[in-house]
Amino acid sequence: MKRKLIAAIGIAGMMVSIAACGGDKDGGDAKGSEPKELTVWLTVDAQNNWPALVKAADAAVLKKHPGLKINHEYYGWPDKNAKLDAVLATDKAPDVVEMGNTEMLGYMVKGAFAPLDAAMFDNSSAWLDGLKASVTYDGKIYGVPYYAGGRVANWRKDVFASVGVKSAPKTYAELTAALDKVQKKEGDKFSAWYQPTRDWYAAMSFVYDAGGSIAVESGGKWKANLSSPESLKGLGEFKTVVDTYMHGDKTKDESDRYIVYGQGKSGMIFAPAWEGATAAAKENDKTGKLAGNVENFVMPGPSGKNLPVFLGGSDLAVPVKSDAQALAAEWINAFTGPSGQKGLMAKGNLPNNKTDLATLKNDPATAVPATAAESNWFVPMAPGWGQVEKAQVLQNMLQSIGTGKKSVEDAAKEADAAIDKVINNS
């Protein structure tokens, strides 16, 4: 799935009133007559890749509500939030809006979205844990998971075959043994595993694999947890990877990882599932050696289990200012229900629920991303988490660790202090 989700943001300057819905934007009135219009905002992903699923959802709702007018607007990811922030300050809010799952928190904290009854939505009892976390704040549900994309390992089969490794490793010990052979053969100008130091999604996967976490909640308050023994163990494992196999610039993030991989100076990456194939595309495969020669596999973790992965994806929410909240919920259910999930999976997406995910595990074409997604994690759903991301606390900690500027313990302690200053601030 070739797109990056925008990091969680606050809504500074939005000037939203959290007043109860009232007006007659959609043709309804204060007495509760049914609205005559429904406005749905989606990103261009839906417009370009699965328009038939949008039409099917419309048809299902119109069958129950003849005469309803459904309006669709489509936005690019960089533009959507600025437009949304502007309209939320007016009485022209859409009734359904697509959000990147990491964008949800800032809007939920500010009260911009209406609470929803999870029981109204098919498969809600089986939503993937990381996706459910993305729509949950203060014990309430404010959105519906739409679809997901996970992370997998991707290797160059030729590089590993050159040292006698011909099948993807199943355990972490097998993986590191293979990487050691590659690194020895190729030398220190080659990264057996190109792992950008500032890639906190990968680093935190090691933390969660070790039983640690970014932060923990107790009594309604959040406290940073990177200095716990478990978290330090995970950070130590990540440092070992960077020290041993990463021979690129140790101040970089993951934004151009697929481009670097395509340059042919590395044997493996751990990344969103689309990156390996994108690196091997003609425009990125600078050596001509990646095409037909890269393969995804489930990333094993040092714990002996599959490494838990961060799930990116999209959610659908109903702005609190919508005058058509019930109809909006109906449309969302029609769009994200069983038939919608089937259509999304056919387009290469991961579903929003464990039941459908299990079916993908039985298909060799989808078994790797589906299996990898079974073990997943999400960011702390704390009111000040957006401030943590904005300050790049985790990235800066990891750079200090990866470059050797600070020890794991000192860098984690400093990061915990920075997180604790803001994580409970809305």
Side-chain angles (χ1 to χ4, degrees):
M1 181 174 59
K2 188 179 177 181
R3 72 168 174 78
K4 293 186 66 181
L5 297 175
I6 304 169
I9 62 170
I11 317 180
M14 192 173 73
M15 299 174 64
V16 174
S17 168
I18 311 301
C21 309
D24 59 356
K25 167 180 68 71
D26 294 295
D29 59 33
K31 296 180 181 179
S33 63
E34 184 171 286
K36 295 181 176 63
E37 293 188 22
L38 187 72
T39 299
V40 178
W41 282 18
L42 299 172
T43 68
V44 292
D45 299 312
Q47 183 182 33
N48 296 335
N49 300 321
W50 43 87
L53 302 184
V54 178
K55 291 181 180 178
D58 289 353
V61 172
L62 291 172
K63 185 176 181 180
K64 296 172 62 177
H65 304 278
L68 177 69
K69 181 181 180 182
I70 303 179
N71 307 304
H72 292 283
E73 295 184 28
Y74 295 93
Y75 294 91
W77 285 101
D79 307 320
K80 173 182 63 67
N81 283 13
K83 176 69 172 177
L84 180 61
D85 293 350
V87 300
L88 287 178
T90 73
D91 62 352
K92 303 296 184 182
D95 303 299
V96 176
V97 61
E98 177 181 352
M99 305 293 296
N101 62 355
T102 57
E103 298 174 341
M104 285 289 294
L105 181 58
Y107 289 85
M108 293 190 293
V109 169
K110 297 295 184 181
F113 296 147
L116 302 173
D117 180 3
M120 294 178 59
F121 303 99
D122 295 323
N123 293 322
S124 61
S125 62
W127 285 343
L128 296 176
D129 295 338
L131 300 186
K132 182 177 180 180
S134 76
V135 298
T136 306
Y137 180 70
D138 200 22
K140 296 180 180 179
I141 298 293
Y142 289 92
V144 176
Y146 173 9
Y147 66 94
R151 283 164 168 73
V152 297
N154 182 283
W155 72 344
R156 281 181 53 185
K157 293 183 288 184
D158 61 333
V159 170
F160 284 84
S162 72
V163 295
V165 180
K166 297 183 179 180
S167 59
K170 302 296 184 182
T171 69
Y172 197 68
E174 290 178 359
L175 173 63
T176 55
L179 288 167
D180 289 341
K181 291 178 182 178
V182 168
Q183 197 63 69
K184 182 178 180 179
K185 178 179 183 292
E186 299 292 341
D188 61 9
K189 292 185 178 180
F190 187 88
S191 295
W193 175 352
Y194 181 76
Q195 178 51 64
T197 308
R198 291 175 66 86
D199 177 9
W200 65 275
Y201 296 108
M204 293 305 106
S205 287
F206 281 89
V207 167
Y208 282 91
D209 181 65
S213 60
I214 301 170
V216 292
E217 183 183 17
S218 178
K221 293 292 184 180
W222 287 84
K223 185 170 179 57
N225 192 48
L226 294 168
S227 295
S228 70
E230 296 83 3
S231 295
L232 289 174
K233 181 179 179 181
L235 289 171
E237 293 282 3
F238 182 74
K239 176 176 170 57
T240 297
V241 169
V242 173
D243 288 348
T244 309
Y245 308 119
M246 168 61 176
H247 294 276
D249 183 348
K250 294 186 179 180
T251 66
K252 291 186 67 174
D253 64 18
E254 70 279 14
S255 59
D256 66 344
R257 172 174 42 213
Y258 70 94
I259 295 175
V260 175
Y261 192 35
Q263 293 170 349
K265 295 182 180 180
S266 57
M268 186 192 114
I269 58 174
F270 173 56
W274 57 265
E275 286 197 24
T278 304
K282 184 176 181 179
E283 64 269 24
N284 297 318
D285 185 7
K286 300 305 180 183
T287 65
K289 295 180 179 180
L290 273 72
N293 196 34
V294 294
E295 178 183 42
N296 285 337
F297 63 93
V298 179
M299 181 70 183
S303 69
K305 301 178 181 179
N306 293 338
L307 195 73
V309 300
F310 176 85
L311 287 181
S314 280
D315 299 325
L316 297 172
V318 179
V320 73
K321 284 193 169 185
S322 165
D323 293 324
Q325 293 181 16
L327 278 174
E330 283 190 46
W331 190 92
I332 291 173
N333 190 47
F335 190 49
T336 62
S339 61
Q341 292 300 305
K342 183 177 180 180
L344 288 166
M345 289 189 292
K347 294 294 185 178
N349 301 294
L350 293 176
N352 66 5
N353 66 91
K354 299 171 186 176
T355 304
D356 287 325
L357 190 70
T359 67
L360 293 182
K361 290 178 60 180
N362 298 323
D363 183 344
T366 54
V368 168
T371 301
E374 283 186 309
S375 178
N376 53 80
W377 61 273
F378 201 67
V379 300
M381 297 302 284
W385 177 251
Q387 297 179 58
V388 176
E389 286 206 30
K390 184 177 181 180
Q392 299 191 357
V393 174
L394 298 181
Q395 293 95 320
N396 294 336
M397 172 191 71
L398 293 170
Q399 182 171 323
S400 293
I401 291 171
T403 58
K405 183 178 180 180
K406 294 178 181 175
S407 68
V408 171
E409 292 78 8
D410 287 347
K413 183 178 180 180
E414 183 177 283
D416 277 350
I419 291 171
D420 283 339
K421 286 181 180 179
V422 299
I423 196 167
N424 291 297
N425 301 337
S426 58

